[in-house]
Amino acid sequence: MHNRLPTAFSVSTWRVPPRVFLAKAKTRLTAYAGVFARMMQCPTEGVRYIRDQRDGRSPLQQGLPYFSWSAIDFLRQQVKPGSRVFEFGSGGSTIFLLNLGCEVTSVETSSEWVNTIKQASGGNLNWHVIEHCHDHPTKDQIAAFPRYVHAGAPWDLVIVDNTETDTLKRVSCMMEARGCIRPGGLLVFDDAHLAEYREVPKFLEGWHRQSFRGLGIARPWITMTDIYTAPGA
């Protein structure tokens, strides 16, 4: 018998350097601590979190937005039947809003995903989709994506939750949406805790901001959804 570790376990052959591995482990432990602290702070949210993690269904399967639980509860109270909604990106939020009796317009970049939402919505006639599907978009096509929000404005609610790519930026969508929401209307900006979105509140100066930080649907860690109310109501 020898005392050397098998090659597969040798530190020298790790694909991830030990320093990086330890940093990631620390980040994950910090995230777990945040989840535990939130569960202690808000037990009812903790129960929902445990049930959701055990259930394993996606937001679309549950017909709920991919937001924090507290943001979902707020929207359920604030959004009224007949509200006109524009979404950058579609998904569980689309089904949620249709079930609330809203008229929803979504701009989507995936034809396959559009078909999935159509099936999930049961062909609801209150859903209107703009298919912005380009494998190799031109500069003009890229610039057109955020501007779709202008058609049909003013909106009662705009949701900025599109898949972010090198060419489709959420901040650009938010900038276009600012002038397309009625006074007192709402703008939802998801994943607001991420570093790349820390400047967003500066662009919405004068709007009333509410940050819904906590546990969320189909999310293993703490998240944050910001909801802004347009001035002038």
Side-chain angles (χ1 to χ4, degrees):
M1 180 178 288
H2 54 75
N3 294 322
R4 291 195 308 162
L5 288 170
T7 303
F9 294 94
S10 174
V11 172
S12 63
T13 62
W14 283 4
R15 292 184 178 180
V16 179
R19 183 183 300 175
V20 175
F21 175 82
L22 291 173
K24 289 184 175 181
K26 181 179 179 181
T27 299
R28 179 157 293 193
L29 288 173
T30 301
Y32 277 126
V35 169
F36 182 76
R38 181 63 182 177
M39 292 174 71
M40 295 297 99
Q41 181 185 10
C42 186
T44 55
E45 198 170 289
V47 171
R48 295 168 83 174
Y49 172 82
I50 293 172
R51 288 176 177 172
D52 179 67
Q53 293 293 311
R54 184 184 301 164
D55 184 29
R57 290 185 299 160
S58 70
L60 180 60
Q61 290 171 323
Q62 297 187 53
L64 292 172
Y66 193 42
F67 302 159
S68 63
W69 287 112
S70 52
I72 293 173
D73 293 341
F74 177 83
L75 290 173
R76 186 179 279 117
Q77 294 173 357
Q78 297 295 317
V79 177
K80 307 301 180 186
S83 295
R84 299 180 64 254
V85 182
F86 186 92
E87 296 183 298
F88 289 101
S90 57
S93 58
T94 310
I95 308 304
F96 173 75
L97 293 164
L98 291 172
N99 289 338
L100 290 178
C102 300
E103 183 178 348
V104 183
T105 299
S106 311
V107 56
E108 183 54 63
T109 58
S110 168
S111 296
E112 182 178 356
W113 187 243
V114 167
N115 291 330
T116 299
I117 302 301
K118 285 181 179 178
Q119 293 178 0
S121 69
N124 194 311
L125 297 178
N126 284 328
W127 186 47
H128 315 286
V129 61
I130 302 167
E131 294 192 46
H132 184 86
C133 306
H134 307 284
D135 292 332
H136 303 287
T138 64
K139 184 177 180 179
D140 288 342
Q141 289 169 337
I142 292 169
F145 183 84
R147 294 201 296 260
Y148 284 118
V149 69
H150 291 278
W155 304 95
D156 298 307
L157 168 65
V158 172
I159 295 177
V160 181
D161 192 29
N162 55 290
T163 299
E164 179 127 339
T165 67
D166 291 338
T167 56
L168 298 179
K169 298 295 185 181
R170 290 188 186 183
V171 173
S172 297
C173 296
M174 176 274 299
M175 297 286 280
E176 292 290 340
R178 290 181 303 177
C180 298
I181 301 172
R182 67 165 178 81
L186 302 176
L187 186 151
V188 176
F189 198 100
D190 195 32
D191 298 317
H193 60 292
L194 298 179
E196 55 263 42
Y197 303 137
R198 65 179 55 165
E199 300 296 318
V200 168
K202 294 182 181 179
F203 296 116
L204 292 168
E205 187 176 354
W207 293 56
H208 177 62
R209 177 191 182 192
Q210 297 181 78
S211 295
F212 296 90
R213 183 180 182 278
L215 302 171
I217 181 171
R219 293 178 182 262
W221 319 119
I222 297 292
T223 187
M224 189 167 81
T225 306
D226 277 358
I227 301 181
Y228 295 84
T229 302

